[in-house]
Amino acid sequence: MIPVVIIGGGASGLMLASFLPSKSAIVIESNPKVAAKLLVSGGGRCNVTNEVVSSTNYLGDKDFISNVISQFDQNALLSWCEARGLSLISQKNHQYFCPNSAKEIVSILSKECSKQTVLLNEKVLDINHSHDGFVVQTNKQKIKTMSVVIASGGLSYPILGVSDIGYKLAQNVGHGISKLSPALVGFTLQKEQFFMKELSGSSVGNVEIKVGTKSCRGDLLFAHKGISGPSVLNASLYWEKGSISIDFLPDFRWKSLSGSKKNISTLLPLPKRVIKSLLENLNIPDKTFDGLTKDERDRLFGLQNYSFAPAGTFGYGKAEVTKGGIVTREIDPLTMMSKFEDNLYFIGEVLDVTGELGGYNLQWAFSSAFVCAKALRSKIK
Ligand SMILES: Cc1cc2nc3c(=O)[nH]c(=O)nc-3n(C[C@H](O)[C@H](O)[C@H](O)COP(=O)(O)OP(=O)(O)OC[C@H]3O[C@@H](n4cnc5c(N)ncnc54)[C@H](O)[C@@H]3O)c2cc1C
């Protein structure tokens, strides 16, 4: 009997298989190839991790997250890559990327996993108890195993092959699932903000979006469906419904406009097309700052606090991650094992841990895989 069956050959499943002793695991992947998401991640260059990682970068139980990440943190991950000849490159916002392509990390993971059996084009349908472990039922066969690890990911980007099997199997043994929703995703707009759609293709370099008590800084992109870009994706993580507020001009000092003979659209540090449209929609004439009435100035200052309620999000089709998941207080952070079912483990995005944009979700996938591997290794003779 094979000691471990891993459901899912994505980031967490492959990392786990690489940490386990040779020939001790079968990885079952429904796609024709492993790591489909990793290959498209980070715009094709895979944002593997971040120089600064802490539980504040995640939604979920902070103690649980810290506990898991501290056992295999960003420095351990960087060293792991380095030891295999992959020097990750630190870029904007301390994000670490593959130097050329996500294929670099996928090829390392694939090589590391060549010591295990990897079944492709095979879908797990169910798991059942047997007298000495589990029987994993796929669309092709039944596989007996001592331990099952669910690494089947979330529901986002269905085009890359996703399933809800992880949530179903968890529920079958009594686990709770917190509300699932698409996150790290663009916002759709209500009628009043439709003018932004006409700006499709334009972007603003640095905005600050406030959602509740969270502030998300970064680029904002106007898209034909609504608004997107790093600041919006991060804001979507913290948004449930209701208003957000965009500061289109963070750090800008209005005083610098006084006394100038130039029109405000020329002076404000925003792309011409964007500022013209914002002025028009806020009913502010494009003239000198000194020439504006008090009311017009007040509306202009509103560019630093443009509040509106998004209509919704672009949905799972465009979301980088699934917010919510298997309730983590029912999982042991020292082993990733279910507290309800011995020898059943959960790792990666299927859990109720969701990171911000910046490499945090892959760091989570890899850290949770490491913790699980440590526990399994002590059981495999
Ligand atoms: C476009 C995009 C870009 C992203 N970029 C980044 C980034 O740069 N940095 C970052 O940190 N995060 C990024 N993410 C998020 C990150 O890719 C995921 O959080 C991470 O891959 C989750 O790892 P996982 O192992 O839990 O799940 P996955 O990597 O999704 O792997 C799960 C695997 O399980 C398989 N599976 C599902 N059901 C079954 C079944 N029934 N039987 C067999 N196999 C099954 C799936 O096919 C899949 O291969 C991005 C996501 C997307 C969609």
Side-chain angles (χ1 to χ4, degrees):
M1 178 160 51
I2 190 83
V4 185
V5 164
I6 302 169
I7 304 177
S12 63
L14 293 181
M15 188 57 115
L16 169 63
S18 82
F19 281 132
L20 294 178
S22 196
K23 296 189 170 54
S24 65
I26 295 178
V27 179
I28 308 178
E29 171 54 55
S30 54
N31 280 332
K33 61 179 183 191
V34 293
K37 255 183 207 169
L38 264 182
L39 282 168
V40 299
S41 65
R45 275 190 52 222
C46 186
N47 177 194
V48 180
T49 186
N50 200 290
E51 216 173 304
V52 190
V53 180
S54 89
S55 60
T56 59
N57 302 111
Y58 294 87
L59 271 188
D61 182 303
K62 305 288 177 209
D63 289 339
F64 182 85
I65 295 166
S66 301
N67 206 329
V68 172
I69 288 182
S70 65
Q71 296 175 63
F72 187 73
D73 64 10
Q74 68 276 28
N75 297 317
L77 178 55
L78 290 171
S79 306
W80 184 89
C81 291
E82 196 74 45
R84 285 152 188 83
L86 179 63
S87 297
L88 298 174
I89 293 176
S90 173
Q91 286 186 207
K92 206 176 159 188
N93 302 325
H94 313 290
Q95 293 166 265
Y96 276 105
F97 285 85
C98 290
N100 303 299
S101 151
K103 283 184 192 154
E104 290 164 316
I105 188 150
V106 172
S107 112
I108 289 174
L109 281 167
S110 301
K111 196 165 154 211
E112 292 285 321
C113 290
S114 58
K115 62 186 174 184
Q116 315 291 6
T117 301
V118 179
L119 304 174
L120 298 174
N121 289 311
E122 190 152 344
K123 189 165 187 161
V124 173
L125 303 176
D126 204 357
I127 54 175
N128 291 296
H129 280 288
S130 68
H131 69 282
D132 51 357
F134 299 94
V135 177
V136 177
Q137 173 77 59
T138 77
N139 57 338
K140 295 184 180 167
Q141 58 180 318
K142 288 184 171 154
I143 303 169
K144 286 188 170 181
T145 181
M146 287 178 319
S147 301
V148 172
V149 182
I150 294 174
S152 53
L155 301 175
S156 64
Y157 254 72
I159 197 169
L160 298 176
V162 302
S163 83
D164 60 358
I165 187 81
Y167 307 117
K168 283 200 170 139
L169 296 177
Q171 277 173 324
N172 287 349
V173 295
H175 283 287
I177 313 289
S178 65
K179 186 178 163 231
L180 304 174
S181 58
L184 301 188
V185 65
F187 286 135
T188 54
L189 304 167
Q190 316 237 28
K191 263 205 317 292
E192 294 73 21
Q193 281 73 42
F194 274 7
F195 70 92
M196 292 190 187
K197 294 191 193 187
E198 281 152 34
L199 293 170
S200 177
S202 303
S203 63
V204 178
N206 180 28
V207 305
E208 185 167 312
I209 304 184
K210 289 205 181 72
V211 192
T213 56
K214 272 277 170 184
S215 285
C216 308
R217 272 224 187 197
D219 297 6
L220 180 146
L221 308 179
F222 296 97
H224 77 276
K225 274 181 120 180
I227 52 170
S228 186
S231 61
V232 175
L233 300 198
N234 271 332
S236 73
L237 189 58
Y238 300 102
W239 184 75
E240 291 291 339
K241 55 182 169 183
S243 287
I244 62 168
S245 153
I246 305 180
D247 181 350
F248 284 101
L249 294 163
D251 313 322
F252 184 75
R253 299 277 168 267
W254 298 102
K255 263 201 308 218
S256 64
L257 300 183
S258 287
S260 174
K261 300 260 178 296
K262 291 184 179 163
N263 284 358
I264 42 180
S265 70
T266 311
L267 295 172
L268 290 171
L270 287 170
K272 201 72 170 198
R273 194 171 158 221
V274 173
I275 186 61
K276 288 255 185 203
S277 169
L278 286 169
L279 292 178
E280 194 183 318
N281 281 280
L282 291 169
N283 198 17
I284 304 164
D286 186 14
K287 45 173 138 161
T288 64
F289 182 71
D290 296 336
L292 296 175
T293 65
K294 179 169 180 313
D295 277 0
E296 288 163 352
R297 276 190 203 184
D298 285 345
R299 289 204 291 281
L300 184 68
F301 300 153
L303 285 176
Q304 288 185 321
N305 183 19
Y306 183 81
S307 286
F308 68 99
T313 71
F314 293 0
Y316 283 117
K318 297 275 178 201
E320 292 203 1
V321 287
T322 300
K323 181 160 76 168
I326 298 163
V327 171
T328 52
R329 65 173 174 277
E330 299 164 358
I331 307 294
D332 181 349
L334 296 177
T335 61
M336 307 312 290
M337 194 169 83
S338 160
K339 290 184 183 171
F340 300 162
E341 180 76 42
D342 277 355
N343 302 316
L344 179 64
Y345 300 79
F346 297 91
I347 57 175
E349 197 180 310
V350 76
L351 289 161
D352 183 11
V353 175
T354 317
E356 293 172 350
L357 202 73
Y360 300 105
N361 287 296
L362 287 173
Q363 177 67 51
W364 171 254
F366 296 142
S367 297
S368 55
F370 175 87
V371 173
C372 183
K374 205 159 50 98
L376 285 169
R377 274 201 310 264
S378 67
K379 288 186 179 175
I380 299 167
K381 309 255 160 34

